[in-house]
PDB file of all heavy atoms in Angstrom:
ATOM      1  N   GLY A 103      21.309  62.929  -1.165  1.00 62.00           N
ATOM      2  CA  GLY A 103      19.971  63.211  -0.672  1.00 62.00           C
ATOM      3  C   GLY A 103      19.388  62.044   0.110  1.00 62.00           C
ATOM      4  O   GLY A 103      20.051  61.048   0.404  1.00 62.00           O
ATOM      5  N   ALA A 104      18.118  62.191   0.466  1.00 76.00           N
ATOM      6  CA  ALA A 104      17.437  61.148   1.229  1.00 76.00           C
ATOM      7  C   ALA A 104      17.320  59.874   0.393  1.00 76.00           C
ATOM      8  O   ALA A 104      17.107  59.916  -0.810  1.00 76.00           O
ATOM      9  CB  ALA A 104      16.057  61.638   1.640  1.00 76.00           C
ATOM     10  N   VAL A 105      17.486  58.753   1.060  1.00 88.00           N
ATOM     11  CA  VAL A 105      17.410  57.453   0.403  1.00 88.00           C
ATOM     12  C   VAL A 105      16.116  56.777   0.817  1.00 88.00           C
ATOM     13  O   VAL A 105      15.785  56.721   2.002  1.00 88.00           O
ATOM     14  CB  VAL A 105      18.613  56.574   0.790  1.00 88.00           C
ATOM     15  CG1 VAL A 105      18.476  55.181   0.188  1.00 88.00           C
ATOM     16  CG2 VAL A 105      19.908  57.222   0.330  1.00 88.00           C
ATOM     17  N   GLU A 106      15.370  56.270  -0.143  1.00 91.00           N
ATOM     18  CA  GLU A 106      14.127  55.572   0.147  1.00 91.00           C
ATOM     19  C   GLU A 106      14.338  54.069   0.031  1.00 91.00           C
ATOM     20  O   GLU A 106      15.122  53.601  -0.795  1.00 91.00           O
ATOM     21  CB  GLU A 106      13.019  56.012  -0.815  1.00 91.00           C
ATOM     22  CG  GLU A 106      12.563  57.451  -0.616  1.00 91.00           C
ATOM     23  CD  GLU A 106      11.350  57.768  -1.462  1.00 91.00           C
ATOM     24  OE1 GLU A 106      10.885  56.863  -2.197  1.00 91.00           O
ATOM     25  OE2 GLU A 106      10.870  58.912  -1.403  1.00 91.00           O
ATOM     26  N   VAL A 107      13.612  53.338   0.850  1.00 95.00           N
ATOM     27  CA  VAL A 107      13.660  51.877   0.783  1.00 95.00           C
ATOM     28  C   VAL A 107      13.078  51.433  -0.549  1.00 95.00           C
ATOM     29  O   VAL A 107      11.993  51.892  -0.945  1.00 95.00           O
ATOM     30  CB  VAL A 107      12.858  51.266   1.949  1.00 95.00           C
ATOM     31  CG1 VAL A 107      12.806  49.746   1.820  1.00 95.00           C
ATOM     32  CG2 VAL A 107      13.464  51.672   3.290  1.00 95.00           C
ATOM     33  N   PRO A 108      13.765  50.555  -1.295  1.00 94.00           N
ATOM     34  CA  PRO A 108      13.232  50.072  -2.573  1.00 94.00           C
ATOM     35  C   PRO A 108      11.848  49.455  -2.399  1.00 94.00           C
ATOM     36  O   PRO A 108      11.556  48.820  -1.375  1.00 94.00           O
ATOM     37  CB  PRO A 108      14.261  49.026  -3.019  1.00 94.00           C
ATOM     38  CG  PRO A 108      15.525  49.433  -2.335  1.00 94.00           C
ATOM     39  CD  PRO A 108      15.113  50.001  -1.019  1.00 94.00           C
ATOM     40  N   SER A 109      11.011  49.631  -3.395  1.00 93.00           N
ATOM     41  CA  SER A 109       9.630  49.163  -3.313  1.00 93.00           C
ATOM     42  C   SER A 109       9.551  47.656  -3.087  1.00 93.00           C
ATOM     43  O   SER A 109       8.650  47.167  -2.401  1.00 93.00           O
ATOM     44  CB  SER A 109       8.865  49.551  -4.579  1.00 93.00           C
ATOM     45  OG  SER A 109       9.481  48.992  -5.734  1.00 93.00           O
ATOM     46  N   GLU A 110      10.500  46.888  -3.666  1.00 94.00           N
ATOM     47  CA  GLU A 110      10.477  45.433  -3.490  1.00 94.00           C
ATOM     48  C   GLU A 110      10.623  45.036  -2.023  1.00 94.00           C
ATOM     49  O   GLU A 110       9.984  44.085  -1.549  1.00 94.00           O
ATOM     50  CB  GLU A 110      11.602  44.764  -4.294  1.00 94.00           C
ATOM     51  CG  GLU A 110      11.550  45.018  -5.783  1.00 94.00           C
ATOM     52  CD  GLU A 110      12.422  46.179  -6.189  1.00 94.00           C
ATOM     53  OE1 GLU A 110      12.479  47.189  -5.446  1.00 94.00           O
ATOM     54  OE2 GLU A 110      13.066  46.091  -7.246  1.00 94.00           O
ATOM     55  N   LEU A 111      11.482  45.777  -1.288  1.00 95.00           N
ATOM     56  CA  LEU A 111      11.726  45.440   0.112  1.00 95.00           C
ATOM     57  C   LEU A 111      10.618  45.999   1.002  1.00 95.00           C
ATOM     58  O   LEU A 111      10.241  45.378   1.997  1.00 95.00           O
ATOM     59  CB  LEU A 111      13.089  45.967   0.551  1.00 95.00           C
ATOM     60  CG  LEU A 111      14.275  45.409  -0.243  1.00 95.00           C
ATOM     61  CD1 LEU A 111      15.588  45.883   0.347  1.00 95.00           C
ATOM     62  CD2 LEU A 111      14.233  43.884  -0.292  1.00 95.00           C
ATOM     63  N   ARG A 112      10.109  47.155   0.646  1.00 95.00           N
ATOM     64  CA  ARG A 112       8.977  47.689   1.402  1.00 95.00           C
ATOM     65  C   ARG A 112       7.781  46.751   1.282  1.00 95.00           C
ATOM     66  O   ARG A 112       7.070  46.494   2.259  1.00 95.00           O
ATOM     67  CB  ARG A 112       8.618  49.089   0.895  1.00 95.00           C
ATOM     68  CG  ARG A 112       7.390  49.588   1.595  1.00 95.00           C
ATOM     69  CD  ARG A 112       7.050  51.031   1.413  1.00 95.00           C
ATOM     70  NE  ARG A 112       5.892  51.291   2.247  1.00 95.00           N
ATOM     71  CZ  ARG A 112       5.932  51.554   3.546  1.00 95.00           C
ATOM     72  NH1 ARG A 112       7.095  51.633   4.163  1.00 95.00           N
ATOM     73  NH2 ARG A 112       4.828  51.742   4.244  1.00 95.00           N
ATOM     74  N   HIS A 113       7.557  46.234   0.072  1.00 96.00           N
ATOM     75  CA  HIS A 113       6.476  45.272  -0.140  1.00 96.00           C
ATOM     76  C   HIS A 113       6.683  44.025   0.717  1.00 96.00           C
ATOM     77  O   HIS A 113       5.727  43.497   1.295  1.00 96.00           O
ATOM     78  CB  HIS A 113       6.417  44.902  -1.626  1.00 96.00           C
ATOM     79  CG  HIS A 113       5.532  43.740  -1.935  1.00 96.00           C
ATOM     80  ND1 HIS A 113       4.165  43.810  -1.926  1.00 96.00           N
ATOM     81  CD2 HIS A 113       5.842  42.444  -2.264  1.00 96.00           C
ATOM     82  CE1 HIS A 113       3.654  42.625  -2.231  1.00 96.00           C
ATOM     83  NE2 HIS A 113       4.646  41.788  -2.436  1.00 96.00           N
ATOM     84  N   LEU A 114       7.924  43.576   0.827  1.00 95.00           N
ATOM     85  CA  LEU A 114       8.231  42.349   1.558  1.00 95.00           C
ATOM     86  C   LEU A 114       7.815  42.449   3.022  1.00 95.00           C
ATOM     87  O   LEU A 114       7.331  41.473   3.608  1.00 95.00           O
ATOM     88  CB  LEU A 114       9.735  42.059   1.451  1.00 95.00           C
ATOM     89  CG  LEU A 114      10.229  40.739   2.027  1.00 95.00           C
ATOM     90  CD1 LEU A 114       9.651  39.565   1.253  1.00 95.00           C
ATOM     91  CD2 LEU A 114      11.748  40.696   1.987  1.00 95.00           C
ATOM     92  N   VAL A 115       8.004  43.608   3.641  1.00 96.00           N
ATOM     93  CA  VAL A 115       7.675  43.778   5.067  1.00 96.00           C
ATOM     94  C   VAL A 115       6.392  44.589   5.243  1.00 96.00           C
ATOM     95  O   VAL A 115       6.143  45.141   6.316  1.00 96.00           O
ATOM     96  CB  VAL A 115       8.850  44.452   5.820  1.00 96.00           C
ATOM     97  CG1 VAL A 115      10.083  43.569   5.782  1.00 96.00           C
ATOM     98  CG2 VAL A 115       9.168  45.837   5.243  1.00 96.00           C
ATOM     99  N   GLY A 116       5.561  44.634   4.208  1.00 96.00           N
ATOM    100  CA  GLY A 116       4.364  45.445   4.231  1.00 96.00           C
ATOM    101  C   GLY A 116       3.403  45.099   5.349  1.00 96.00           C
ATOM    102  O   GLY A 116       2.745  45.991   5.906  1.00 96.00           O
ATOM    103  N   VAL A 117       3.290  43.823   5.729  1.00 97.00           N
ATOM    104  CA  VAL A 117       2.348  43.434   6.770  1.00 97.00           C
ATOM    105  C   VAL A 117       2.740  44.026   8.115  1.00 97.00           C
ATOM    106  O   VAL A 117       1.886  44.224   8.993  1.00 97.00           O
ATOM    107  CB  VAL A 117       2.251  41.892   6.870  1.00 97.00           C
ATOM    108  CG1 VAL A 117       3.536  41.277   7.403  1.00 97.00           C
ATOM    109  CG2 VAL A 117       1.066  41.477   7.731  1.00 97.00           C
ATOM    110  N   LEU A 118       4.027  44.354   8.296  1.00 97.00           N
ATOM    111  CA  LEU A 118       4.492  44.964   9.541  1.00 97.00           C
ATOM    112  C   LEU A 118       4.477  46.485   9.453  1.00 97.00           C
ATOM    113  O   LEU A 118       3.980  47.173  10.339  1.00 97.00           O
ATOM    114  CB  LEU A 118       5.896  44.472   9.879  1.00 97.00           C
ATOM    115  CG  LEU A 118       6.032  42.967  10.136  1.00 97.00           C
ATOM    116  CD1 LEU A 118       7.485  42.588  10.324  1.00 97.00           C
ATOM    117  CD2 LEU A 118       5.223  42.560  11.354  1.00 97.00           C
ATOM    118  N   ALA A 119       5.041  47.037   8.371  1.00 97.00           N
ATOM    119  CA  ALA A 119       5.124  48.497   8.242  1.00 97.00           C
ATOM    120  C   ALA A 119       3.771  49.103   7.897  1.00 97.00           C
ATOM    121  O   ALA A 119       3.438  50.203   8.330  1.00 97.00           O
ATOM    122  CB  ALA A 119       6.153  48.867   7.181  1.00 97.00           C
ATOM    123  N   ARG A 120       3.005  48.386   7.064  1.00 96.00           N
ATOM    124  CA  ARG A 120       1.725  48.876   6.564  1.00 96.00           C
ATOM    125  C   ARG A 120       1.888  50.262   5.931  1.00 96.00           C
ATOM    126  O   ARG A 120       2.772  50.427   5.099  1.00 96.00           O
ATOM    127  CB  ARG A 120       0.677  48.813   7.684  1.00 96.00           C
ATOM    128  CG  ARG A 120       0.473  47.375   8.206  1.00 96.00           C
ATOM    129  CD  ARG A 120      -0.697  47.268   9.132  1.00 96.00           C
ATOM    130  NE  ARG A 120      -0.482  47.883  10.432  1.00 96.00           N
ATOM    131  CZ  ARG A 120       0.230  47.328  11.422  1.00 96.00           C
ATOM    132  NH1 ARG A 120       0.804  46.152  11.262  1.00 96.00           N
ATOM    133  NH2 ARG A 120       0.342  47.945  12.588  1.00 96.00           N
ATOM    134  N   ALA A 121       1.112  51.252   6.328  1.00 94.00           N
ATOM    135  CA  ALA A 121       1.183  52.559   5.667  1.00 94.00           C
ATOM    136  C   ALA A 121       2.218  53.480   6.304  1.00 94.00           C
ATOM    137  O   ALA A 121       2.393  54.612   5.861  1.00 94.00           O
ATOM    138  CB  ALA A 121      -0.188  53.232   5.697  1.00 94.00           C
ATOM    139  N   ASP A 122       2.907  53.015   7.333  1.00 96.00           N
ATOM    140  CA  ASP A 122       3.869  53.864   8.047  1.00 96.00           C
ATOM    141  C   ASP A 122       5.191  53.954   7.290  1.00 96.00           C
ATOM    142  O   ASP A 122       5.592  53.021   6.578  1.00 96.00           O
ATOM    143  CB  ASP A 122       4.107  53.336   9.451  1.00 96.00           C
ATOM    144  CG  ASP A 122       2.883  53.493  10.341  1.00 96.00           C
ATOM    145  OD1 ASP A 122       1.971  54.240   9.950  1.00 96.00           O
ATOM    146  OD2 ASP A 122       2.827  52.863  11.408  1.00 96.00           O
TER     147      ASP A 122
END
Side-chain angles (χ1 to χ4, degrees):
V105 176
E106 292 188 0
V107 175
S109 59
E110 301 95 321
L111 300 185
R112 175 169 184 83
H113 169 74
L114 186 65
V115 297
V117 68
L118 298 174
R120 300 189 288 282
D122 291 346

